[in-house]
Amino acid sequence: MNEEKYAEKPREIAAIDLGSNSFHMVVARVVGQGLQIISRHKQRVRLASGLDDHLNLDNASITRGIECLGMFAERLQGFPEENVRVAATFTLREAKNSHVFLQRARNVFPYPIEVIPGVEEARLIYLGVSHTQPGEGRKLVVDIGGGSTELVIGKNFTASLVNSKRMGCVSYNERFFKDGQISLKRFASAQIAAELKLESISRQYKRFGWEEAVGSSGTIKAIREVLIASGHDDGIITRKRLDGLIDTVLTFKSADTLDLPGLSPDRKPVFAAGLAILSGIFQALDIEKMVFSDGALREGLLYEMEDRFQHSDIRSRTAADLAERYHIDKQHADNVQQTAEMIYFQAEPQLKPKKAELSILLSWAALLHEVGLSISHSGFHKHSAYILQNTNMPGFNQEQQTVLATLTRFHRKTLKLAEMPEFTLFKQKHIFPLIRALRLACVLNVQRSGEPLPDVVLSVCDDAWSLRFPENWLKKNRLLAADLDAEKVYWEGIGWTLRIE
């Protein structure tokens, strides 16, 4: 028995961050209640530089990204899907043809890629910093990426203020230093632009306050390394040291000639832009000094992945908070949730990981399908869909939010499936059973009586579903029978079949 215990291989998990400038992968071993990082991998892909004026990625940048994923896939051979999490950030959020990248990625990379909203990126960055940066008290975490900058204030593992701003070292380099030329005027323009980006949140952040400012990721790491190589051994970024570094950078006329101790060649093209953004942040938020943390988005992904295995899923807390915020009728929502699960599990008795994930999304959609009632009853399913698609939902990626919005949008009234969005992580045909299950659950509980439903048996043959009730039960519940007859008509309108026995 002991031999088997010691022979058991420790579980390994991996997180990948598809950034605008670089792709990063970190692999960790689960050791007791903690994680042990065993390898890190980084490739400079410069994805954001491939965005044209119409927000389409060019073929060269897509190819660079796909080649990198192919290399990462070699390292991950043998990893089950549930042990790998991949998050795409600003550039793939913005690119109108991101679906082209995601489709090509499937040919070389067997793991799902989540495109995450900016505020979700910020929350995960904060989680990564919190797990790797010691110290008590409130933290301000700043992460300057290639296309966006995330700013979070939180304490321990809980983020309180979360923002993502559209400014990054690659995008600002394209905007202010496109030909590689450096000048005081260009630098000042970039710095002021960064300050203006923060104008709407700076007062709130300063009023909230923090004990320690922490920077993460490549831009701030590069600035810190230059300061250390210049004699500031503690690596602390102060306003005075930042100003001195700016003066030094401005003695160079172009990125090509930029020669600073500790500055790597691949960081040279975007260094001035990143420095301008950080200087603007220091100015806007009155930061006096900042330390650096090795933790960032990928570490946040790792720790949350393990948290989902061992503890609670933050998405459950998010759904519960939304239900409370929009004054959901909790008893009714619970009844719909239980009925939807009962129907779906009969339709899909053998749940593989992808469908198991969808079953969880169905449960949350059932819980939240009436959030739109807070706006009005008329067309509330559309209001619910809008809220779930556009609100900040910690723990959910963009596609998961789209699934929730889609289920609530189609849970009642006419089934206008031509208006369904495209999905990349899931297939439309896998969404249809969720829609049917939620619609039937809502019909069966529409009277809000609280009375327990009888045992309902579902049989499925492709798009034809049959519900069998106990003998004579529907004759005693004529209003419900009429609602089911109306539901049949909705199904017939798109070629689905609903039989009631």
Side-chain angles (χ1 to χ4, degrees), residues 221-234:
K221 182 180 181 181
I223 291 170
R224 174 179 178 264
E225 287 175 348
V226 170
L227 290 175
I228 291 173
S230 302
H232 303 293
D233 295 340
D234 57 14

Side-chain angles (χ1 to χ4, degrees), residues 5 42-43 59 110 135 154 219 230 232 241 272 315 325 346 358 403 430 448 457-458 464-465:
K5 179 180 177 182
K42 170 186 171 183
Q43 288 289 320
N59 185 61
T219 293
S230 302
H232 303 293
R241 291 174 181 179
R315 295 176 298 178
R325 187 193 315 170
Q346 290 188 65
L358 284 171
V403 170
H430 294 152
R448 299 176 187 260
V457 179
L458 172 70
W465 284 25

Side-chain angles (χ1 to χ4, degrees), residues 22-163:
S22 303
F23 287 5
H24 295 261
M25 178 169 68
V26 58
V27 180
R29 182 178 291 128
V30 180
V31 181
Q33 296 297 307
L35 295 177
Q36 181 184 75
I37 305 295
I38 56 176
S39 67
R40 294 181 184 272
H41 310 267
K42 170 186 171 183
Q43 288 289 320
R44 188 82 65 192
V45 175
R46 306 188 316 281
L47 202 62
S49 65
L51 275 178
D52 64 20
D53 293 338
H54 302 289
L55 294 180
N56 284 308
L57 280 170
D58 62 25
N59 185 61
S61 61
I62 291 176
T63 299
R64 290 195 299 271
I66 301 304
E67 288 175 351
C68 176
L69 286 177
M71 287 188 280
F72 285 178
E74 293 175 11
R75 172 64 179 86
L76 296 175
Q77 284 184 12
F79 275 60
E81 185 175 305
E82 63 269 20
N83 286 4
V84 179
R85 192 165 176 205
V86 189
T89 58
F90 180 82
T91 298
L92 287 172
R93 276 199 298 270
E94 294 291 300
K96 291 181 178 177
N97 63 339
S98 60
H99 62 283
V100 175
F101 179 94
L102 297 173
Q103 287 167 358
R104 286 183 57 184
R106 289 194 199 107
N107 296 327
V108 300
F109 191 75
Y111 302 99
I113 296 172
E114 306 173 43
V115 180
I116 59 174
V119 288
E120 176 65 1
E121 179 183 356
R123 185 190 67 82
L124 287 165
I125 288 167
Y126 177 81
L127 188 63
V129 170
S130 297
H131 272 286
T132 53
Q133 183 75 11
E136 298 294 324
R138 202 176 279 170
K139 289 184 179 71
L140 164 68
V141 175
V142 176
D143 187 296
I144 302 171
S148 63
T149 292
E150 282 64 51
L151 304 103
V152 188
I153 296 179
K155 187 174 182 180
N156 298 326
F157 300 117
T158 303
S160 300
L161 288 183
V162 183
N163 272 278

Side-chain angles (χ1 to χ4, degrees), residues 161-176:
L161 288 183
V162 183
N163 272 278
S164 178
K165 294 295 183 181
R166 293 164 57 99
M167 57 180 184
C169 61
V170 176
S171 57
Y172 266 43
N173 186 60
E174 289 288 308
R175 181 176 168 188
F176 296 102

Side-chain angles (χ1 to χ4, degrees), residues 18 68 94 143 247 331 349 380 387 413:
L18 307 186
C68 176
E94 294 291 300
D143 187 296
D247 289 341
Q331 184 59 57
F380 78 85
I387 290 170
K413 301 292 186 181

